[in-house]
């Protein structure tokens, strides 16, 4: 995303060319008329900014209520520019700055005043929008030709979401293996690890897509082709190549409830 000032001194946001490839994203949606769908994936480990291998990379984002012109359903996720994965000198998130400004402005008014309550309400709305998503690299079984895919998982306050399920399964299987005298077990191992079965169903009450996750019964190799396995493991594409952050100028407009135009 690029931006510039037009003749009326207003910010114009110029949309950059997109290299969007639908096959690179794990499809977790149900099509119209589809009540359920199953798929199987193998998780690929990813190095975080600390150099440690993890099955999921946590990233901060803001889930904001936006104008319908920005997103038809009225809400949109924006990666927080203050996320620790970005270089410190680039951490200039206008949304986080707006939260601070609103609280500072509210403190100038008397306790209990309408002005103070109004500003604090806006500040907390923005503050509560700050959440965490997890990005997972994986191979979708039956669609290996698509190569490495990315799965975006939102965090759940209940700690019962997909991230927690996968994490708990890894801990549980490791403990079970040691208790049975087989030694440590890494469910993500590329030679003797396990695939995960994902079942997507449409809730009759909310009509939203629900997901259940389980590990398959038997271990397997990531691939029987060593070259293919090496290619998948060392795939150079990273989460921030697939989920682009917006520019500081763009997010300034969003933070002020504006509509960036192209």
């Amino acid at each position: 995303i690029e931006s510039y000032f037009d003749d009326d001194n207003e910010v114009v946001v110029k949309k950059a060319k997109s290299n969007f490839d639908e096959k690179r994203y794990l499809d977790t949606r149900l099509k119209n008329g589809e009540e359920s769908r199953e798929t199987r994936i193998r998780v690929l480990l990813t190095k975080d900014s600390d150099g440690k291998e993890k099955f999921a990379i946590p990233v901060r984002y803001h889930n904001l209520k936006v104008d319908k012109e920005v997103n038809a359903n009225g809400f949109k996720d924006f990666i927080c520019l203050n996320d620790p994965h970005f270089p410190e000198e680039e951490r200039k998130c206008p949304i986080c700055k707006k939260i601070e400004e609103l609280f500072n402005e509210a403190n100038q008014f008397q306790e209990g005043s309408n002005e103070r309550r109004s500003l604090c309400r806006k500040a907390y709305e923005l503050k509560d929008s700050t959440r965490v998503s997890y990005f997972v690299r994986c191979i979708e079984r039956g669609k290996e030709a698509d190569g490495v895919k990315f799965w975006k998982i939102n965090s759940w306050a209940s700690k019962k979401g997909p991230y927690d399920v996968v994490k708990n399964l890894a801990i549980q299987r490791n403990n079970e293996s040691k208790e049975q005298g087989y030694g440590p077990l890494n469910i993500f191992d590329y030679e003797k690890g396990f695939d995960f079965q994902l079942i997507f169903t449409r809730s009759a009450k909310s009509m939203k897509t629900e997901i259940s996750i389980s590990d398959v019964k038997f271990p397997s190799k990531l691939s029987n082709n060593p070259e293919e396995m090496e290619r998948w493991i060392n795939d150079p594409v990273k989460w921030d190549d697939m989920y682009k952050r917006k520019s500081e100028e763009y997010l300034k407009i969003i933070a002020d409830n504006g509509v960036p135009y192209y």
Side-chain angles (χ1 to χ4, degrees):
I1 298 292
E2 298 175 354
S3 61
Y4 59 90
F5 289 93
D6 64 11
D7 295 336
D8 297 321
N9 206 36
E10 289 191 15
V11 174
V12 176
V13 178
K14 184 179 178 183
K15 201 169 187 178
K17 290 183 179 179
S18 173
N19 295 319
F20 178 78
D21 182 359
E22 192 176 44
K23 292 181 179 179
R24 277 287 202 169
Y25 301 86
L26 184 68
D27 186 5
T28 61
R29 299 165 297 179
L30 290 174
K31 299 178 177 62
N32 290 336
E34 192 176 35
E35 296 303 316
S36 65
R37 180 167 57 83
E38 295 183 24
T39 192
R40 207 173 83 189
I41 66 168
R42 184 60 166 267
V43 170
L44 299 170
L45 297 177
T46 306
K47 283 188 178 180
D48 202 347
S49 53
D50 57 9
K52 294 181 179 178
E53 284 194 323
K54 299 179 179 179
F55 81 88
I57 302 297
V59 178
R60 283 176 44 155
Y61 74 98
H62 298 282
N63 176 250
L64 297 180
K65 187 175 182 180
V66 294
D67 191 282
K68 296 283 187 179
E69 289 187 48
V70 178
N71 202 32
N73 69 11
F75 284 88
K76 190 171 177 63
D77 291 348
F78 300 97
I79 292 175
C80 177
L81 299 190
N82 286 350
D83 185 87
H85 287 91
F86 304 133
E88 194 167 348
E89 64 273 12
E90 295 180 16
R91 297 179 200 169
K92 300 175 182 178
C93 181
I95 297 170
C96 291
K97 185 178 180 181
K98 186 72 175 181
I99 296 169
E100 185 178 350
E101 289 174 351
L102 287 169
F103 277 127
N104 288 339
E105 189 177 351
N107 288 334
Q108 296 175 19
F109 292 93
Q110 187 176 357
E111 188 88 30
S113 66
N114 290 334
E115 294 88 351
R116 186 184 179 101
R117 281 199 296 265
S118 176
L119 289 165
C120 283
R121 184 170 61 252
K122 291 178 182 177
Y124 278 115
E125 284 176 358
L126 285 177
K127 187 176 180 181
D128 291 342
S129 79
T130 307
R131 302 174 187 175
V132 174
S133 276
Y134 295 93
F135 295 95
V136 178
R137 295 195 313 148
C138 64
I139 295 296
E140 186 172 11
R141 296 305 192 191
K143 297 183 179 180
E144 283 88 349
D146 293 346
V148 178
K149 297 190 176 190
F150 285 80
W151 179 22
K152 178 177 177 286
I153 312 173
N154 290 336
S155 59
W156 289 27
S158 64
K159 300 295 183 182
K160 295 180 180 179
Y163 168 80
D164 300 286
V165 171
V166 174
K167 179 182 175 182
N168 291 335
L169 278 172
I171 295 171
Q172 183 181 345
R173 297 296 179 252
N174 183 43
N175 290 339
E176 288 172 351
S177 180
K178 288 190 290 186
E179 287 170 3
Q180 295 299 320
Y182 296 113
L185 183 150
N186 179 7
I187 202 171
F188 305 113
D189 188 88
Y190 297 135
E191 295 287 341
K192 300 177 182 179
F194 292 75
D195 290 354
F196 290 95
Q197 189 79 14
L198 312 182
I199 302 177
F200 306 101
T201 55
R202 195 183 305 279
S203 169
K205 291 183 179 180
S206 66
M207 297 305 291
K208 292 182 178 180
T209 300
E210 298 178 343
I211 179 173
S212 63
I213 305 173
S214 60
D215 51 342
V216 300
K217 291 183 179 180
F218 301 101
S220 63
K221 279 188 175 185
L222 170 61
S223 172
N224 290 320
N225 184 330
E227 292 181 359
E228 183 177 59
M229 186 159 67
E230 190 72 19
R231 186 169 66 251
W232 289 343
I233 294 171
N234 296 314
D235 188 283
V237 178
K238 300 178 181 178
W239 70 267
D240 51 344
D241 295 319
M242 304 303 297
Y243 300 88
K244 296 291 187 181
R245 51 180 162 159
K246 298 295 187 183
S247 69
E248 186 180 351
E249 290 81 3
Y250 186 105
L251 292 181
K252 279 181 182 177
I253 299 171
I254 292 296
D256 290 326
N257 298 317
V259 180
Y261 62 94
Y262 302 110

